[in-house]
Short mmCIF file of all heavy atoms in Angstrom, two decimals:
data_model
loop_
_atom_site.label_atom_id
_atom_site.label_comp_id
_atom_site.label_asym_id
_atom_site.label_seq_id
_atom_site.Cartn_x
_atom_site.Cartn_y
_atom_site.Cartn_z
N ASP A 9 48.07 103.27 15.82
CA ASP A 9 48.29 104.54 16.41
C ASP A 9 49.65 104.50 17.17
O ASP A 9 49.83 103.79 18.13
CB ASP A 9 47.18 104.76 17.44
CG ASP A 9 47.31 106.13 18.15
OD1 ASP A 9 48.20 106.91 17.74
OD2 ASP A 9 46.61 106.29 19.15
N LEU A 10 50.56 105.31 16.65
CA LEU A 10 51.94 105.33 17.31
C LEU A 10 52.03 106.45 18.34
O LEU A 10 53.08 106.54 18.98
CB LEU A 10 52.96 105.60 16.18
CG LEU A 10 53.05 104.43 15.16
CD1 LEU A 10 54.04 104.82 14.02
CD2 LEU A 10 53.54 103.11 15.76
N SER A 11 50.94 107.17 18.57
CA SER A 11 51.11 108.30 19.57
C SER A 11 51.42 107.89 20.97
O SER A 11 52.05 108.66 21.74
CB SER A 11 49.82 109.18 19.49
OG SER A 11 48.68 108.46 19.97
N PRO A 12 50.93 106.69 21.45
CA PRO A 12 51.35 106.30 22.78
C PRO A 12 52.89 106.17 23.00
O PRO A 12 53.35 106.25 24.14
CB PRO A 12 50.70 104.90 22.96
CG PRO A 12 49.56 104.91 21.97
CD PRO A 12 50.03 105.71 20.81
N LEU A 13 53.58 106.10 21.92
CA LEU A 13 55.08 106.05 22.01
C LEU A 13 55.62 107.41 22.48
O LEU A 13 56.75 107.48 23.02
CB LEU A 13 55.70 105.68 20.71
CG LEU A 13 55.49 104.19 20.24
CD1 LEU A 13 56.11 103.99 18.87
CD2 LEU A 13 56.02 103.18 21.28
N ASP A 14 54.89 108.49 22.24
CA ASP A 14 55.46 109.80 22.56
C ASP A 14 55.85 109.88 24.03
O ASP A 14 56.99 110.25 24.33
CB ASP A 14 54.40 110.93 22.28
CG ASP A 14 54.05 111.03 20.81
OD1 ASP A 14 54.82 110.48 20.01
OD2 ASP A 14 53.07 111.68 20.50
N GLY A 15 54.94 109.52 24.91
CA GLY A 15 55.20 109.61 26.36
C GLY A 15 56.33 108.71 26.76
O GLY A 15 57.14 108.98 27.59
N ILE A 16 56.31 107.50 26.14
CA ILE A 16 57.34 106.52 26.57
C ILE A 16 58.72 107.07 26.08
O ILE A 16 59.64 107.01 26.91
CB ILE A 16 57.02 105.17 25.82
CG1 ILE A 16 55.69 104.57 26.31
CG2 ILE A 16 58.15 104.14 26.05
CD1 ILE A 16 55.22 103.41 25.50
N LEU A 17 58.79 107.53 24.88
CA LEU A 17 60.10 107.97 24.40
C LEU A 17 60.56 109.23 25.13
O LEU A 17 61.79 109.46 25.35
CB LEU A 17 60.05 108.12 22.93
CG LEU A 17 59.90 106.79 22.14
CD1 LEU A 17 59.62 107.06 20.70
CD2 LEU A 17 61.11 105.90 22.33
N GLU A 18 59.63 110.09 25.47
CA GLU A 18 59.99 111.34 26.20
C GLU A 18 60.58 110.95 27.60
O GLU A 18 61.55 111.47 28.03
CB GLU A 18 58.76 112.16 26.47
CG GLU A 18 58.57 113.24 25.39
CD GLU A 18 57.15 113.78 25.49
OE1 GLU A 18 56.63 114.03 26.55
OE2 GLU A 18 56.65 114.10 24.38
N LYS A 19 59.94 109.97 28.25
CA LYS A 19 60.34 109.55 29.56
C LYS A 19 61.87 109.07 29.54
O LYS A 19 62.56 109.30 30.54
CB LYS A 19 59.45 108.35 29.98
CG LYS A 19 59.76 107.98 31.44
CD LYS A 19 58.71 106.93 31.94
CE LYS A 19 59.11 106.42 33.28
NZ LYS A 19 58.30 105.33 33.71
N TYR A 20 62.24 108.40 28.52
CA TYR A 20 63.59 107.82 28.49
C TYR A 20 64.55 108.60 27.51
O TYR A 20 65.64 108.18 27.29
CB TYR A 20 63.56 106.39 28.03
CG TYR A 20 62.83 105.52 28.98
CD1 TYR A 20 61.50 105.15 28.84
CD2 TYR A 20 63.44 105.10 30.20
CE1 TYR A 20 60.81 104.41 29.78
CE2 TYR A 20 62.80 104.33 31.12
CZ TYR A 20 61.50 103.98 30.91
OH TYR A 20 60.83 103.27 31.86
N ALA A 21 64.12 109.79 27.18
CA ALA A 21 64.94 110.55 26.21
C ALA A 21 66.33 110.81 26.74
O ALA A 21 66.46 111.24 27.91
CB ALA A 21 64.28 111.93 25.91
N GLY A 22 67.36 110.54 25.94
CA GLY A 22 68.70 110.77 26.33
C GLY A 22 69.29 109.77 27.28
O GLY A 22 70.51 109.86 27.61
N GLN A 23 68.51 108.79 27.72
CA GLN A 23 69.05 107.79 28.64
C GLN A 23 69.72 106.67 27.92
O GLN A 23 69.06 106.00 27.13
CB GLN A 23 67.97 107.25 29.56
CG GLN A 23 67.43 108.25 30.54
CD GLN A 23 66.40 107.65 31.49
OE1 GLN A 23 66.55 106.43 31.81
NE2 GLN A 23 65.50 108.41 31.90
N LYS A 24 70.94 106.41 28.20
CA LYS A 24 71.58 105.29 27.53
C LYS A 24 71.05 103.97 28.16
O LYS A 24 70.82 103.94 29.31
CB LYS A 24 73.12 105.40 27.77
CG LYS A 24 73.76 106.32 26.85
CD LYS A 24 75.31 105.98 26.79
CE LYS A 24 76.10 107.00 26.02
NZ LYS A 24 75.83 107.37 24.74
N GLY A 25 71.01 102.96 27.35
CA GLY A 25 70.61 101.63 27.90
C GLY A 25 69.19 101.54 28.27
O GLY A 25 68.76 100.69 29.03
N ALA A 26 68.36 102.42 27.70
CA ALA A 26 66.94 102.37 28.08
C ALA A 26 66.06 101.54 27.14
O ALA A 26 64.86 101.54 27.24
CB ALA A 26 66.39 103.86 28.10
N ILE A 27 66.73 100.86 26.21
CA ILE A 27 65.99 100.15 25.20
C ILE A 27 65.00 99.08 25.80
O ILE A 27 63.92 98.91 25.33
CB ILE A 27 66.89 99.59 24.12
CG1 ILE A 27 66.04 98.95 22.97
CG2 ILE A 27 67.83 98.53 24.64
CD1 ILE A 27 65.16 100.01 22.31
N ILE A 28 65.53 98.40 26.80
CA ILE A 28 64.64 97.36 27.44
C ILE A 28 63.39 97.95 28.07
O ILE A 28 62.27 97.55 27.76
CB ILE A 28 65.45 96.49 28.43
CG1 ILE A 28 66.41 95.57 27.56
CG2 ILE A 28 64.49 95.58 29.23
CD1 ILE A 28 67.32 94.72 28.40
N PRO A 29 63.50 99.02 28.94
CA PRO A 29 62.25 99.54 29.50
C PRO A 29 61.37 100.18 28.40
O PRO A 29 60.14 100.11 28.49
CB PRO A 29 62.68 100.61 30.48
CG PRO A 29 64.22 100.73 30.37
CD PRO A 29 64.69 99.52 29.69
N ILE A 30 61.97 100.77 27.38
CA ILE A 30 61.18 101.33 26.28
C ILE A 30 60.35 100.17 25.64
O ILE A 30 59.16 100.26 25.40
CB ILE A 30 62.02 102.00 25.22
CG1 ILE A 30 62.61 103.31 25.82
CG2 ILE A 30 61.25 102.28 23.93
CD1 ILE A 30 63.61 104.01 24.93
N LEU A 31 61.00 99.05 25.32
CA LEU A 31 60.29 97.93 24.74
C LEU A 31 59.23 97.37 25.66
O LEU A 31 58.11 96.94 25.20
CB LEU A 31 61.27 96.88 24.25
CG LEU A 31 62.26 97.23 23.15
CD1 LEU A 31 63.22 96.05 22.86
CD2 LEU A 31 61.56 97.72 21.88
N GLN A 32 59.58 97.34 26.92
CA GLN A 32 58.61 96.77 27.91
C GLN A 32 57.34 97.66 27.94
O GLN A 32 56.22 97.16 27.83
CB GLN A 32 59.21 96.74 29.30
CG GLN A 32 60.18 95.62 29.48
CD GLN A 32 60.98 95.71 30.77
OE1 GLN A 32 61.18 96.82 31.30
NE2 GLN A 32 61.42 94.57 31.28
N HIS A 33 57.52 98.98 27.93
CA HIS A 33 56.39 99.86 28.00
C HIS A 33 55.61 99.77 26.66
O HIS A 33 54.33 99.78 26.65
CB HIS A 33 56.83 101.29 28.23
CG HIS A 33 57.09 101.59 29.66
ND1 HIS A 33 56.19 102.08 30.54
CD2 HIS A 33 58.26 101.38 30.34
CE1 HIS A 33 56.80 102.14 31.73
NE2 HIS A 33 58.01 101.81 31.65
N ALA A 34 56.26 99.66 25.55
CA ALA A 34 55.59 99.64 24.23
C ALA A 34 54.84 98.30 24.16
O ALA A 34 53.64 98.34 23.74
CB ALA A 34 56.68 99.64 23.13
N GLN A 35 55.34 97.26 24.71
CA GLN A 35 54.64 95.99 24.72
C GLN A 35 53.37 96.05 25.56
O GLN A 35 52.40 95.46 25.28
CB GLN A 35 55.56 94.81 25.09
CG GLN A 35 54.87 93.49 24.97
CD GLN A 35 55.87 92.30 24.95
OE1 GLN A 35 56.41 91.98 23.97
NE2 GLN A 35 56.04 91.70 26.13
N GLU A 36 53.51 96.72 26.72
CA GLU A 36 52.33 96.90 27.62
C GLU A 36 51.19 97.63 26.77
O GLU A 36 50.06 97.28 27.04
CB GLU A 36 52.69 97.77 28.84
CG GLU A 36 53.30 96.94 29.93
CD GLU A 36 53.93 97.85 31.02
OE1 GLU A 36 53.44 99.00 31.12
OE2 GLU A 36 54.90 97.42 31.64
N VAL A 37 51.59 98.57 25.96
CA VAL A 37 50.56 99.33 25.21
C VAL A 37 49.93 98.51 24.07
O VAL A 37 48.74 98.43 23.96
CB VAL A 37 51.18 100.61 24.63
CG1 VAL A 37 50.23 101.26 23.75
CG2 VAL A 37 51.56 101.60 25.79
N TYR A 38 50.82 97.80 23.36
CA TYR A 38 50.31 97.14 22.10
C TYR A 38 50.05 95.63 22.31
O TYR A 38 49.51 95.02 21.43
CB TYR A 38 51.37 97.36 20.99
CG TYR A 38 51.44 98.82 20.64
CD1 TYR A 38 52.46 99.62 21.09
CD2 TYR A 38 50.48 99.40 19.74
CE1 TYR A 38 52.54 100.98 20.73
CE2 TYR A 38 50.58 100.76 19.42
CZ TYR A 38 51.63 101.49 19.94
OH TYR A 38 51.67 102.87 19.56
N GLY A 39 50.53 95.04 23.43
CA GLY A 39 50.35 93.67 23.65
C GLY A 39 51.45 92.81 23.05
O GLY A 39 51.60 91.68 23.31
N TYR A 40 52.12 93.38 22.12
CA TYR A 40 53.32 92.78 21.44
C TYR A 40 54.14 93.89 20.78
O TYR A 40 53.74 95.09 20.96
CB TYR A 40 52.87 91.66 20.45
CG TYR A 40 52.33 92.15 19.18
CD1 TYR A 40 52.93 92.01 17.98
CD2 TYR A 40 51.06 92.75 19.16
CE1 TYR A 40 52.37 92.44 16.79
CE2 TYR A 40 50.47 93.19 17.99
CZ TYR A 40 51.15 93.05 16.79
OH TYR A 40 50.59 93.45 15.63
N LEU A 41 55.16 93.57 20.05
CA LEU A 41 55.98 94.62 19.47
C LEU A 41 55.86 94.54 17.93
O LEU A 41 56.60 93.81 17.26
CB LEU A 41 57.46 94.47 19.89
CG LEU A 41 57.70 94.61 21.38
CD1 LEU A 41 59.12 94.19 21.78
CD2 LEU A 41 57.44 96.05 21.79
N PRO A 42 54.84 95.29 17.39
CA PRO A 42 54.69 95.23 15.95
C PRO A 42 55.88 95.87 15.25
O PRO A 42 56.53 96.78 15.81
CB PRO A 42 53.46 96.10 15.69
CG PRO A 42 52.84 96.35 17.03
CD PRO A 42 53.92 96.13 18.09
N PRO A 43 56.17 95.45 14.00
CA PRO A 43 57.31 95.96 13.26
C PRO A 43 57.33 97.50 13.18
O PRO A 43 58.42 98.14 13.33
CB PRO A 43 57.24 95.38 11.91
CG PRO A 43 56.18 94.31 11.92
CD PRO A 43 55.41 94.43 13.23
N GLU A 44 56.12 98.10 12.92
CA GLU A 44 56.12 99.54 12.80
C GLU A 44 56.43 100.28 14.07
O GLU A 44 57.00 101.42 14.06
CB GLU A 44 54.78 100.01 12.20
CG GLU A 44 53.53 99.48 12.87
CD GLU A 44 53.10 98.17 12.27
OE1 GLU A 44 53.90 97.26 12.29
OE2 GLU A 44 51.94 98.04 12.02
N VAL A 45 56.16 99.65 15.21
CA VAL A 45 56.54 100.25 16.53
C VAL A 45 58.03 100.19 16.66
O VAL A 45 58.71 101.20 17.07
CB VAL A 45 55.76 99.52 17.68
CG1 VAL A 45 56.39 99.83 19.03
CG2 VAL A 45 54.29 99.80 17.64
N LEU A 46 58.66 99.03 16.32
CA LEU A 46 60.13 98.91 16.46
C LEU A 46 60.80 99.93 15.59
O LEU A 46 61.78 100.55 15.91
CB LEU A 46 60.51 97.49 16.17
CG LEU A 46 60.02 96.42 17.13
CD1 LEU A 46 60.54 95.06 16.75
CD2 LEU A 46 60.37 96.80 18.58
N LYS A 47 60.25 100.08 14.35
CA LYS A 47 60.85 101.03 13.37
C LYS A 47 60.72 102.45 13.90
O LYS A 47 61.72 103.24 13.82
CB LYS A 47 60.05 100.94 12.07
CG LYS A 47 60.83 101.48 10.89
CD LYS A 47 60.17 101.05 9.65
CE LYS A 47 60.52 102.04 8.53
NZ LYS A 47 59.56 102.26 7.55
N GLU A 48 59.60 102.81 14.47
CA GLU A 48 59.41 104.19 15.01
C GLU A 48 60.43 104.44 16.21
O GLU A 48 61.01 105.50 16.31
CB GLU A 48 57.95 104.32 15.50
CG GLU A 48 57.58 105.69 15.97
CD GLU A 48 57.41 106.74 14.91
OE1 GLU A 48 57.44 106.36 13.71
OE2 GLU A 48 57.27 107.88 15.26
N ILE A 49 60.51 103.41 17.07
CA ILE A 49 61.41 103.51 18.15
C ILE A 49 62.88 103.75 17.68
O ILE A 49 63.61 104.55 18.21
CB ILE A 49 61.32 102.27 19.08
CG1 ILE A 49 60.02 102.28 19.82
CG2 ILE A 49 62.53 102.27 20.15
CD1 ILE A 49 59.73 100.96 20.58
N SER A 50 63.23 102.96 16.67
CA SER A 50 64.56 103.04 16.14
C SER A 50 64.83 104.47 15.56
O SER A 50 65.81 105.16 15.84
CB SER A 50 64.74 102.03 14.93
OG SER A 50 65.94 102.31 14.25
N GLN A 51 63.83 105.00 14.80
CA GLN A 51 63.97 106.30 14.17
C GLN A 51 64.15 107.41 15.22
O GLN A 51 64.91 108.31 15.12
CB GLN A 51 62.83 106.65 13.23
CG GLN A 51 62.94 105.89 11.90
CD GLN A 51 61.65 106.03 11.01
OE1 GLN A 51 60.66 106.53 11.56
NE2 GLN A 51 61.79 105.47 9.87
N ARG A 52 63.36 107.28 16.28
CA ARG A 52 63.26 108.39 17.28
C ARG A 52 64.33 108.26 18.33
O ARG A 52 64.63 109.25 19.01
CB ARG A 52 61.90 108.46 17.83
CG ARG A 52 60.90 108.89 16.73
CD ARG A 52 59.43 108.88 17.10
NE ARG A 52 59.15 109.68 18.30
CZ ARG A 52 57.94 109.84 18.81
NH1 ARG A 52 56.94 109.26 18.18
NH2 ARG A 52 57.77 110.57 19.78
N THR A 53 64.94 107.12 18.51
CA THR A 53 66.00 106.99 19.48
C THR A 53 67.41 106.94 18.80
O THR A 53 68.41 106.96 19.50
CB THR A 53 65.89 105.71 20.37
OG1 THR A 53 65.91 104.55 19.42
CG2 THR A 53 64.59 105.68 21.14
#
Side-chain angles (χ1 to χ4, degrees):
D9 178 11
L10 297 173
S11 65
L13 291 176
D14 294 346
I16 298 169
L17 293 170
E18 267 166 37
K19 183 174 176 187
Y20 294 100
Q23 289 184 33
K24 281 200 186 307
I27 188 60
I28 289 177
I30 290 172
L31 294 179
Q32 285 169 332
H33 282 268
Q35 184 164 278
E36 276 168 26
V37 171
Y38 296 98
Y40 73 112
L41 296 170
E44 50 274 53
V45 165
L46 296 182
K47 199 168 156 212
E48 183 76 6
I49 292 171
S50 169
Q51 281 171 354
R52 292 173 58 179
T53 59

